[in-house]
Amino acid sequence: MKTAFGKLTGSAVMDKVAEYREVGRDAFLAQYAGGVTSRTTWLSVEGELFPAKAIFAAAHVPSVAPKSFNTSDTYRYSRELNFELVVIEKGRVKSTRSAIDDLDELSGSDVPTKQLYFGERFIRDAKVRAKVIERANGKCEHCGGEGFKKPDGGIYLETHHIISLAKQGPDSEKNVIALCANDHREAHFGADAEHLEVQFKSKLAELNSAKKRRITRSAD
Ligand SMILES: [Zn+2]
Ligand SMILES: [Zn+2]
C-alpha cells in the first residue's frame, strides 16, 4: 500500500516480525527506532505482540523513523494490510482492530491484557511453537520443502495458527502448523488463503491420526 512517505507491504511487515523474533526487542529497537517506540500500539501476530510503529517503520520503503507514523495512520495501515492492532493503556486492552471498525462495541472494554495476550498464554504459546517445530523436523508441513539453515545450525520455519487466536482458535499443537516463510505469507495474504486453511486442517488431522496409530502400536 502507499503511505504518506512511500510504500508498506504485508510481506515486508512479516519479514520484520521474523527479524524481531530472531534478534530480540532491544537489538531491533536499537537498529530501527533509536531504542524507543510507542508502548501503546501493538501488532498482534500469532498471539504475540510486537511494537507496531517500530515494525512498520522498519518495513517501510524508504525507511522512516517510527515517530513519523501517528496512531491513526498506524490503525489504517494495520487495517489495510489485514493485521490486528491492539491498543494497550495502563496495562489494559483499550481496543483492538475490530473496535476501530466499530468504536462503540469494544472501546474501553477494559479487558485485562493478561487474559488476552500476555503472561501464561505467551508462555504456553512458546511451548506449543517449540513442539510444532520439533514435529516438523526441518520441513514445511504444507509443501514439504526444507527450511533454510540458521547461523546456530537450526532450521528456520515459522508457525501458524490455522484458526487465529483472535478468532478463538485453540492454542494447541492441533491448531498450529509449521510452514516455510513463503507458505506462511500466502496463508495470510494470498488470494487462496481460505483454500489453504482447509488443506492445513486436513494435513494436521492426518498427522494426528498417524501419531495415534504410532502410540497404539507401541502400546501393543
Ligand atoms: Zn512450504
Ligand atoms: Zn500465521
Side-chain angles (χ1 to χ4, degrees):
M1 67 170 292
K2 279 209 174 98
T3 72
F5 316 98
K7 202 180 74 168
L8 189 64
T9 64
S11 176
V13 170
M14 290 295 274
D15 278 338
K16 293 302 167 188
V17 164
E19 189 178 330
Y20 185 100
R21 274 194 179 126
E22 288 287 324
V23 304
R25 178 183 185 279
D26 292 347
F28 189 91
L29 292 185
Q31 181 167 359
Y32 295 108
V36 289
T37 188
S38 160
R39 288 164 166 276
T40 310
T41 46
W42 300 85
L43 209 56
S44 167
V45 180
E46 309 292 331
E48 283 179 56
L49 297 181
F50 303 88
K53 288 184 188 180
I55 296 278
F56 284 166
H60 197 270
V61 181
S63 63
V64 289
K67 64 177 189 302
S68 314
F69 300 128
N70 63 35
T71 300
S72 66
D73 286 337
T74 311
Y75 283 144
R76 193 166 58 82
Y77 303 157
S78 309
R79 196 169 49 227
E80 285 192 27
L81 296 175
N82 218 6
F83 283 99
E84 186 186 3
L85 199 74
V86 176
V87 176
I88 294 174
E89 277 174 19
K90 297 189 185 121
R92 306 218 141 207
V93 172
K94 236 194 123 198
S95 56
T96 67
R97 194 189 65 184
S98 51
I100 284 99
D101 293 331
D102 183 3
L103 272 166
D104 297 333
E105 212 186 299
L106 253 174
S107 100
S109 66
D110 220 26
V111 185
T113 53
K114 191 164 179 276
Q115 224 170 299
L116 279 180
Y117 297 100
F118 286 150
E120 284 147 43
R121 153 154 282 175
F122 181 79
I123 293 159
R124 215 167 49 230
D125 215 45
K127 271 191 201 154
V128 168
R129 202 176 135 78
K131 279 195 179 162
V132 169
I133 293 290
E134 192 186 311
R135 180 184 72 200
N137 196 22
K139 292 195 176 126
C140 172
E141 291 181 311
H142 178 61
C143 71
E146 292 200 9
F148 55 81
K149 217 181 209 166
K150 296 190 291 184
D152 68 4
I155 300 292
Y156 182 88
L157 284 173
E158 298 179 358
T159 49
H160 172 67
H161 285 80
I162 298 171
I163 303 168
S164 74
L165 294 171
K167 287 184 185 150
Q168 320 302 317
D171 190 22
S172 88
E173 289 157 68
K174 287 181 183 158
N175 185 42
V176 179
I177 188 166
L179 296 174
C180 64
N182 201 44
D183 284 338
H184 196 194
R185 299 304 147 82
E186 194 177 353
H188 283 267
F189 305 111
D192 234 10
E194 268 174 47
H195 181 223
L196 273 180
E197 187 177 317
V198 174
Q199 290 183 304
F200 293 164
K201 278 181 189 156
S202 71
K203 183 76 206 184
L204 283 203
E206 207 178 281
L207 283 172
N208 281 321
S209 64
K211 190 176 165 191
K212 259 191 216 132
R213 277 200 302 277
R214 265 202 313 279
I215 291 166
T216 322
R217 257 207 309 275
S218 62
D220 286 345

